[in-house]
Amino acid sequence: MNTILSGERIVKSFGDGAERRNVLDGVSVEIRPGEFVSIMGPSGSGKTTLLYSLSGMDRVDGGRILFEGRDLSGMRDDDLADLRRRRMGFVFQQPTLLGNLDLLDNIILPAVRDDRRGTDRHVEKARDLMRRTGIAGLERRSVSQVSGGQLQRAGICRALLRDPAVLFGDEPTGALNSASAREILDILSEVNAAGTAVLLVTHDAAVAARAGRVLFLRDGRIDRELELGPPDGRGLEDRALRVSEAMRELGI
Amino acid sequence: MFARILRNDLRRGRLASLATLLFVAAAALLVSLAGTLGAELSRALTALLERATTPHLLQMHSGPIDLPRLQAFAAGRPEVEAFQVLEFLNVEGSAFEFGDRTLAGSVQDNGLSVQGRDFDFLLDLDGNVARPAEGEIFVPVFYFKDGAARPGDRVRILGREFRVAGFVRDSQMNSALSSSKRFLVSPADYAALRDRGSIESLIEFRLRDPDALGALEAAYVAAGLESNGPRVGFPLFRMMNALSDGLLIVVLLFVGLLVTLVALLCVRFALLAKIEEDYREIGAMKAIGLRVSDIRRAYLARYAVLAVPGALLGWALSFAFRGPLLANLRLFMGEGGAAGAPVLGLAGAVLVCLLVLAYVRGVLGRFRKLSAAEALRFGAPRETARRPGRLRLAGGLPLGANAALGVLDVLARKRLYGTMLAVLVASSFIAVVPRNLHTTVSAPGFSAHLGIGACDLRADVQAVGDIPGRAADIAAALAADTEVRKSVVLTARAFPVRGKDGSESSLKVELGDHSVFPVAYAEGRAPRSPDEIALSMLSAQDLGMRVGDRLPTAAGGGWRDLTVTGLYSDVTNGGKTAKAAFPGGESPVLWAVVQASLRDPSRSREKAEAYGSAFPYAKVSSLQEYVSQTFGPTIRAIGSASRISLAVALVLAALITLLFVRMLVARDRVSIAALRALGFRNSDLTRQYLARSALVAGAGVLAGSLLANTLGESLAGALISLFGAASFEFAADPLSAYLLIPLAVAISALAATAAGAAGAGRIDVAQTIRE
């Protein structure tokens, strides 16, 4: 099967000695190009750890992770950094924009690291993304001058600037009100429709319903997989109901 | 529980804790040493001056004196308690033989004296008035330190043999800065040698009320009494005795202050980093209803645990250093026996400790401003002041993204970087100033600032018959010597002059061609024509004269006005001299100086020895030798001070930068985690930090070097003027002052930055972002 990102029997543990415990206990996942996958589970089930492990931000203690056919566990920190910068995009719960840069500079930040002569091109693309995400005109604003929703959109623009193969999201709507959350999710769906794979951690059924597939984690293992069909944005309420039902069955 | 939290805290911030502890200890050590020394110095000096019953006014005079007239003057002044005239038998250095060594090379005026009758006592090392028996001699303590003599040694003076019975402290002439040294002999021995040297009279007064000194001095001058020699008052004796140890105390205090400042900076950076880390917990503590003062107390305790033992350690260490530092003071002034000294030392240590704790309290004040809700929601404080400036990444990146990010950060948080800038300015300053001072005072031309023309050889003819004839003999020999490039003879004679206020006094004027080996003029120029005169700063001050004024002088058989053409600093001959170019006429010659320069200046020492043995009545020295004997210890002290301050500056720049960068990393850890998540390598982060430091260090060392060469020059000038030089300019070595030293400071800061920024690579990205 054609996969862009896969984890095989991933083990990740925290703590020392007798208190050591496996947060991920032999998890295997496969993400296909252009797929939209949500990860759900109760607190402490390891969903965020799985996201960070798959993106190479956390080193795993066992198993292996393949991104576009390359094994991340054998790579040096610098190569992992290069890979994240060039092929992955990240949207966090807190937007983590730099306070001493305006929104536009924050968005072009990952791109200018490699390509100082192409600044104009990046600026052009950033403006286009800002227009598409509804924050055109805020280019010179500082991070303290815009709303949380606007910050999160800027974060998405930053993640998309280099056309990543996979967009990782860690509760990207967790700190937003429902209207802003919906708009952000619409944007993510659009991005996915354009061909970018999306991997999202959430505890919200309505958010998970955007995905084509939902993975339920419990005690460091995948407890269940729910296929929701193509993530075309139709029948969202029905899909959300199916997710909620599965959560109830699993006692989440 | 509380103890465990404290222990964990200290362990986690090991470097900062250790640095704080050590700097508090060092500051406490220095300040308590300064306190102890100050107390000892004050007590010992007072005791010495009391026991020796030092005269309040001393007038030295060479030449005959009219004793009845002097006695009548003293008897007629109600403020005078006691009056006496002592003799000082000036003997040339080569006539003092300590075994196979003589004092021929000494630049001191050495002589014999008997014990004072009513006051001005020379004291032995037990503090008692020394009473040499016949055949015994007491040697100045200056030569004990020098190692020239030991008790029981045999000494020959003018062919007469003495046994060294002990050493004397001389409240007038103890200091190396005082140019005469009194050897104490019995009246019988003195009488036997009295006509073998030249006699200088010490006309001495003790006052009922020391404040009446000014009045007595004015009356003495007005009465036109004997005054062919320096006149010195009690305050100057006090100062000369206190100067070398006093300078040590000032330096200790100054460095102590500096170290305290560094300790405070360590505290600041460590504390701010800690607060950043603990923000959420502090918010939580506030949220559950703990009072700010409770939280503050918890942090204060952590620093009390560092500051109190640090200060005690410093104080304890001060006992170990006290001995060697007090050795010189005790030798020259005796035991002060100041019971309060250790207490004063402890007070210094306590002061340092309190200062640190007060500062911690001040920094903790920001807890008040912290909103519990905000701390809990955002973790780290949101810096409202942090706004993007004009510079933007989108505007193009001539130096790359990392350099741009570094520069942007500095510009966005100028106040934060201000502390580091200040430390680097100070570091460059303290590295460059002493270095410049050292190159200046050790430069060959520096003696010109002290009233000594820059030549290679110098022959002083003094206290012998037919001075002009003998000086002419030396000059003739020099003129015939093919190794000599040029030479000049200057003869000093005393002339009556009239000051601005019309009072008449006697001025010692060196006559001759002053353009051959000119001194450095603080103002104006050397006298050229016979109706011109240049004055030393002190003479000009006494006479109330400035450049361009006309000075009435009785020379060549009548009064005439001489134009003052220049002012110069002089540390020789009591500092009150003048230079002129008119013929001397019949007035007696006080001394003559023959100066010469050599074709090969490196031969000056051999030449000095050759001329010294060919003309035994002259004191011939190479100028290098002269300067190194008079100012050598000072120059060497400045040299070691400059090396020490360079080391201190480098360590300071490195340490403070390291702590500062570590604080920044702690503070910015969320941004750092974000950058790393976005794909910035660790080396990118290091480059960003290096760019920040390069900008700050560049500005810092530039400002520091500029300040060092402007403000530093004035400061050094003020210090040098203590030694009598009024005109002062740095003769800096541009390579080291403007390039190498600033570069070293900057490199030291950059190396520390690289070390500190390594911490950015150890931040757990996933964990930090999840927070």
Side-chain angles (χ1 to χ4, degrees):
Chain A
M1 189 170 42
N2 181 18
T3 61
I4 187 163
L5 173 64
S6 65
E8 296 170 13
R9 295 181 300 282
I10 305 169
V11 176
K12 172 77 184 170
S13 39
F14 288 109
D16 291 316
E19 290 177 15
R20 195 169 175 84
R21 85 189 171 89
N22 289 345
V23 176
L24 297 179
D25 194 8
V27 178
S28 295
V29 232
E30 287 188 337
I31 313 290
R32 292 182 290 277
E35 203 183 5
F36 194 142
V37 177
S38 289
I39 305 173
M40 298 195 81
S43 287
S45 60
K47 48 188 190 302
T48 304
T49 304
L50 178 61
L51 186 85
Y52 285 120
S53 298
L54 288 171
S55 62
M57 261 195 269
D58 254 354
R59 294 267 183 189
V60 296
D61 299 312
R64 61 176 194 157
I65 293 157
L66 295 171
F67 184 89
E68 295 182 324
R70 298 170 71 190
D71 187 352
L72 302 192
S73 47
M75 285 167 75
R76 296 183 308 125
D77 282 349
D78 282 349
D79 296 331
L80 282 174
D82 293 346
L83 191 66
R84 281 202 296 277
R85 199 170 63 249
R86 291 173 185 149
R87 302 295 296 152
M88 301 177 185
F90 293 90
V91 184
F92 305 106
Q93 181 170 5
Q94 297 295 342
T96 63
L97 300 187
L98 301 191
N100 51 6
L101 301 182
D102 59 28
L103 290 194
L104 180 63
D105 276 357
N106 262 297
I107 292 168
I108 63 171
L109 182 62
V112 294
R113 154 71 175 73
D114 295 324
D115 183 14
R116 70 168 90 152
R117 292 187 206 293
T119 310
D120 291 345
R121 196 160 40 83
H122 300 310
V123 168
E124 199 179 318
K125 184 159 184 197
R127 286 184 191 281
D128 181 46
L129 283 167
M130 288 176 86
R131 201 162 38 246
R132 278 163 53 195
T133 53
I135 51 171
L138 302 182
E139 290 84 352
R140 296 306 315 273
R141 295 285 183 86
S142 77
V143 294
S144 56
Q145 288 172 319
V146 296
S147 71
Q150 288 166 329
L151 277 184
Q152 197 57 291
R153 286 162 206 242
I156 292 173
C157 294
R158 181 177 69 182
L160 294 177
L161 191 78
R162 302 194 69 178
D163 300 319
V166 180
L167 181 67
F168 294 88
D170 183 9
E171 306 260 19
T173 57
L176 301 179
N177 62 35
S178 55
S180 293
R182 206 161 39 244
E183 284 164 20
I184 295 291
L185 291 170
D186 288 342
I187 296 169
L188 292 180
S189 294
E190 271 175 46
V191 168
N192 176 244
T196 304
V198 177
L199 184 58
L200 216 62
V201 164
T202 182
H203 59 269
D204 183 344
V207 175
R210 300 277 181 156
R213 187 155 59 109
V214 183
L215 308 177
F216 292 94
L217 237 63
R218 181 194 288 279
D219 298 334
R221 293 166 185 273
I222 292 183
D223 208 15
R224 184 168 172 186
E225 269 191 58
L226 181 65
E227 284 284 351
L228 293 174
D232 50 11
R234 275 180 293 180
L236 277 177
E237 280 181 29
D238 181 42
R239 296 160 76 108
L241 272 176
R242 287 174 62 195
V243 174
S244 300
E245 202 165 312
M247 286 167 75
R248 204 166 39 247
E249 284 169 23
L250 292 167
I252 298 172
Chain B
M1 157 85 169
F2 185 64
R4 207 175 62 228
I5 294 176
L6 208 64
R7 207 164 46 234
N8 283 341
D9 270 6
L10 295 177
R11 200 173 296 154
R12 262 163 64 197
R14 239 174 315 185
L15 176 81
S17 299
L18 189 69
T20 307
L21 182 84
L22 289 182
F23 279 103
V24 169
L29 168 67
L30 292 164
V31 174
S32 58
L33 274 178
T36 312
L37 247 64
E40 285 266 356
L41 174 63
S42 153
R43 285 282 279 265
L45 184 55
T46 308
L48 173 69
L49 295 178
E50 254 169 36
R51 281 201 179 184
T53 335
T54 307
H56 289 115
L57 181 67
L58 165 74
Q59 171 69 60
M60 295 172 92
H61 176 80
S62 34
I65 60 168
D66 184 348
L67 190 58
R69 192 163 69 118
L70 282 167
Q71 278 164 337
F73 169 79
R77 301 293 306 180
E79 68 269 34
V80 173
E81 184 184 56
F83 160 79
Q84 71 181 9
V85 176
L86 282 182
E87 286 189 352
F88 177 72
L89 184 67
N90 210 326
V91 179
E92 58 182 280
S94 59
F96 284 84
E97 296 170 59
F98 295 89
D100 48 4
R101 180 188 155 179
T102 73
L103 296 183
S106 165
V107 294
Q108 294 283 342
D109 293 328
N110 298 296
L112 302 180
S113 193
V114 295
Q115 187 58 275
R117 191 184 68 230
D118 303 320
F119 57 96
D120 187 17
F121 301 120
L122 303 187
L123 305 173
D124 66 17
L125 295 188
D126 297 324
N128 301 317
V129 177
R131 300 276 178 208
E134 203 171 334
E136 284 185 345
I137 189 167
F138 280 82
V139 176
V141 70
F142 180 81
Y143 290 111
F144 176 68
K145 199 185 178 203
D146 186 35
R150 297 267 159 260
D153 278 2
R154 297 274 154 192
V155 184
R156 288 178 74 83
I157 298 169
L158 294 165
R160 195 178 177 90
E161 192 166 285
F162 293 92
R163 192 182 68 83
V164 176
F167 295 89
V168 280
R169 300 192 180 112
D170 183 338
S171 65
Q172 285 185 24
M173 306 177 185
N174 249 351
S175 161
L177 295 170
S178 150
S179 60
S180 306
K181 293 287 164 281
R182 288 193 278 188
F183 288 72
L184 188 67
V185 295
S186 68
D189 288 320
Y190 184 82
L193 294 173
R194 190 170 182 271
D195 50 4
R196 301 280 306 276
S198 67
I199 289 173
E200 204 164 350
S201 301
L202 310 179
I203 303 160
E204 303 179 332
F205 299 89
R206 277 288 290 184
L207 300 177
R208 288 180 216 288
D209 172 15
D211 292 341
L213 176 61
L216 178 69
E217 203 174 349
Y220 189 92
V221 172
L225 296 168
E226 283 76 355
S227 60
N228 184 20
R231 188 169 56 242
V232 187
F234 189 79
L236 189 64
F237 289 135
R238 212 184 153 83
M239 198 195 83
M240 293 249 278
N241 276 306
L243 197 61
S244 61
D245 288 297
L247 271 180
L248 181 66
I249 291 169
V250 170
V251 169
L252 282 175
L253 263 183
F254 181 74
V255 179
L257 216 68
L258 199 78
V259 175
T260 307
L261 220 63
V262 175
L264 294 186
L265 282 175
C266 291
V267 167
R268 181 182 178 79
F269 295 151
L271 194 55
L272 288 183
K274 189 83 190 86
I275 293 176
E276 297 293 333
E277 264 176 49
D278 296 351
Y279 234 73
R280 213 183 281 263
E281 282 114 69
I282 296 167
M285 284 195 260
K286 272 186 102 164
I288 62 173
L290 283 181
R291 296 167 62 165
V292 172
S293 54
D294 296 335
I295 304 172
R296 196 142 70 168
R297 205 168 300 136
Y299 280 83
L300 210 54
R302 174 185 143 96
Y303 283 91
V305 162
L306 294 173
V308 172
L312 285 177
L313 177 68
W315 183 58
L317 279 177
S318 78
F319 283 92
F321 287 94
R322 195 168 290 178
L325 284 178
L326 283 174
N328 185 61
L329 192 154
R330 288 191 171 144
L331 177 62
F332 278 85
M333 287 175 230
E335 300 275 343
V343 178
L344 203 67
L346 184 62
V350 168
L351 192 74
V352 169
C353 180
L354 288 181
L355 209 64
V356 169
L357 291 181
Y359 185 74
V360 171
R361 250 185 86 87
V363 175
L364 291 176
R366 64 178 60 204
F367 282 171
R368 277 195 197 288
K369 286 183 254 161
L370 165 70
S371 121
E374 192 165 300
L376 288 170
R377 246 174 65 219
F378 298 108
R382 311 228 300 170
E383 291 167 85
T384 45
R386 203 164 146 187
R387 288 265 171 80
R390 273 165 197 282
L391 226 78
R392 296 160 57 204
L393 295 182
L397 306 159
L399 294 172
N402 290 319
L405 281 172
V407 171
L408 275 171
D409 191 62
V410 174
L411 296 180
R413 300 190 284 183
K414 293 189 197 79
R415 268 191 61 181
L416 181 67
Y417 287 94
T419 330
M420 184 182 162
L421 181 75
V423 169
L424 290 172
V425 170
S427 293
S428 330
F429 188 83
I430 61 176
V432 172
V433 172
R435 169 78 195 185
N436 280 359
L437 184 61
H438 184 236
T439 45
T440 306
V441 296
S442 51
F446 184 67
S447 64
H449 290 279
L450 304 171
I452 304 158
C455 56
D456 296 322
L457 273 189
R458 175 188 165 100
D460 290 276
V461 186
Q462 198 169 357
V464 290
D466 188 22
I467 293 174
R470 295 188 169 191
D473 289 347
I474 301 175
L478 285 168
D481 191 333
T482 52
E483 285 190 66
V484 173
R485 190 195 297 276
K486 53 186 178 178
S487 63
V488 72
V489 180
L490 303 174
T491 52
R493 301 167 198 249
F495 297 100
V497 291
R498 224 175 265 142
K500 259 269 150 68
D501 57 1
S503 66
E504 221 170 275
S505 58
S506 163
L507 180 64
K508 280 172 275 186
V509 186
E510 273 188 333
L511 300 173
D513 185 347
H514 296 286
S515 64
V516 183
F517 301 111
V519 298
Y521 285 84
E523 212 181 310
R525 56 165 180 82
R528 288 186 203 127
S529 68
D531 55 354
E532 291 179 338
I533 191 165
L535 300 175
S536 74
M537 301 297 274
L538 285 179
S539 300
Q541 209 177 330
D542 274 7
L543 297 167
M545 289 283 152
R546 279 191 264 170
V547 171
D549 286 353
R550 300 181 70 76
L551 176 69
T553 308
W559 286 91
R560 60 197 177 104
D561 284 356
L562 300 179
T563 307
V564 178
T565 59
L567 302 179
Y568 57 91
S569 314
D570 196 352
V571 296
T572 62
N573 300 304
K576 296 180 185 177
T577 57
K579 296 180 190 297
F582 57 79
E586 295 303 307
S587 45
V589 173
L590 301 173
W591 73 79
V593 181
V594 189
Q595 290 176 295
S597 65
L598 300 176
R599 292 188 197 287
D600 177 7
S602 67
R603 299 244 315 128
S604 59
R605 192 171 293 225
E606 290 103 300
K607 276 279 158 193
E609 272 169 26
Y611 277 88
S613 47
F615 302 95
Y617 51 82
K619 193 157 76 182
V620 186
S621 50
S622 81
L623 191 75
Q624 216 185 338
E625 185 89 349
Y626 180 85
V627 169
S628 97
Q629 274 200 35
T630 318
F631 303 104
T634 312
I635 291 175
R636 275 192 295 279
I638 294 175
S640 13
S642 81
R643 277 185 296 277
I644 292 169
S645 30
L646 177 63
V648 167
L650 293 181
V651 170
L652 203 65
L655 183 81
I656 296 296
T657 306
L658 180 63
L659 289 173
F660 180 77
V661 171
R662 288 173 77 128
M663 178 204 69
L664 274 187
V665 168
R667 201 173 200 174
D668 296 346
R669 68 194 191 291
V670 176
S671 303
I672 291 168
L675 281 171
R676 283 180 53 202
L678 293 176
F680 278 80
R681 294 173 166 205
N682 290 343
S683 55
D684 291 322
L685 293 168
T686 303
R687 278 194 201 117
Q688 289 172 22
Y689 277 93
L690 283 175
R692 301 172 186 196
S693 287
L695 185 63
V696 178
V701 298
L702 193 71
S705 312
L706 284 179
L707 269 181
N709 287 292
T710 49
L711 177 71
E713 190 172 85
S714 322
L715 268 179
L719 189 72
I720 287 290
S721 71
L722 284 181
F723 295 96
S727 63
F728 181 79
E729 253 173 46
F730 269 151
D733 169 20
L735 186 67
S736 67
Y738 290 101
L739 187 68
L740 296 181
I741 292 178
L743 204 63
V745 173
I747 287 174
S748 153
L750 288 178
T753 304
R762 287 192 290 270
I763 287 177
D764 185 336
V765 178
Q767 182 66 36
T768 307
I769 287 184
R770 243 173 286 177
E771 278 173 9

